[in-house]
Amino acid sequence: MAPFGKIYSYPTNPRVTRVMVMAEMNGLEIEIPPFTMRETNATPEFLAKFPLGKVPAFEGADGFLLTESLAIAYYVAQAGPKADQLLGKDAKTQALIRKWASFAEGEIFTNAFMPIAMAVMKFYPMNEGAFDMHIKNLEKDIKALEVALEGGKKYLVGDQVTMADFSVASWLYHLFKHFGDAEMRKANPNLTAYFEAFAAVPEHKKYFGEPEFAEARLTREG
């Protein structure tokens, strides 16, 4: 099978992982070349193709260049035979899938990953006000997912896995690792069951790895 393209990014980037799973579903081969953050994406060769230096960045075998993670995900999802399943066949289903994809980036990523970036990764100085605000908003995000999954729903949209699930679940690995203690899991049984079922699928485990659950929730001190 000829490669469909390449994705440039640092290892374990959730925005890439979800694309790789959908690519495999679609029978598309995508390469991930060796990459060092702030080095590879700062070279003249990289910047000539992707002037902002942002990752992930996609380069198709046909020379097609694309940035912005959701755009890359939609392109890969739509480029193969599983497009209707991943993105929906009718306008309402497509809108719901886009809703959850946007929710994953605008809500879960912001409110779960940013505290981790401050307290664990030390990407940013600790801002106590911002940290507390994100945690408060994350509680709302978790409750929104818990309600959406009432009734033992296996998928966020319809009766098959879609891009909505890959978008949300890609950040749930971080959420449960740092915030998913026993109390949180007990209070949100629908979300916990949904995540555990997603993580148990061999194809998902191949790319996302084993799920981890926090013994205690992340605090400002880490």
Side-chain angles (χ1 to χ4, degrees), residues 133-153:
M133 178 193 70
H134 287 306
I135 296 300
K136 183 177 180 180
N137 289 337
L138 181 61
E139 292 174 355
K140 296 179 182 178
D141 297 338
I142 290 171
K143 190 51 62 180
L145 286 167
E146 176 68 13
V147 171
L149 293 165
E150 283 180 346
K153 288 182 63 176

Side-chain angles (χ1 to χ4, degrees), residues 11 15 66 91 93 98 106 109-111 118 120-121 125 128 145 150 170 175 196 202 205 209:
R15 291 181 168 116
L66 189 63
T93 301
R98 287 178 183 270
F109 166 72
T110 301
N111 296 319
M118 286 188 278
V120 180
M121 299 178 174
E128 294 184 357
L145 286 167
E150 283 180 346
S170 63
L175 189 155
E196 290 178 336
K205 193 173 294 187

Side-chain angles (χ1 to χ4, degrees), residues 42-65:
T43 63
E45 294 80 10
F46 188 92
L47 294 173
K49 297 175 182 178
F50 309 104
L52 294 179
K54 294 175 63 176
V55 295
F58 175 83
E59 180 178 8
D62 59 359
F64 178 57
L65 302 176

Side-chain angles (χ1 to χ4, degrees), residues 162-178:
T162 69
M163 184 173 151
D165 301 298
F166 291 118
S167 298
V168 169
S170 63
W171 295 119
L172 290 182
Y173 282 83
H174 290 282
L175 189 155
F176 275 94
K177 180 178 179 179
H178 295 283

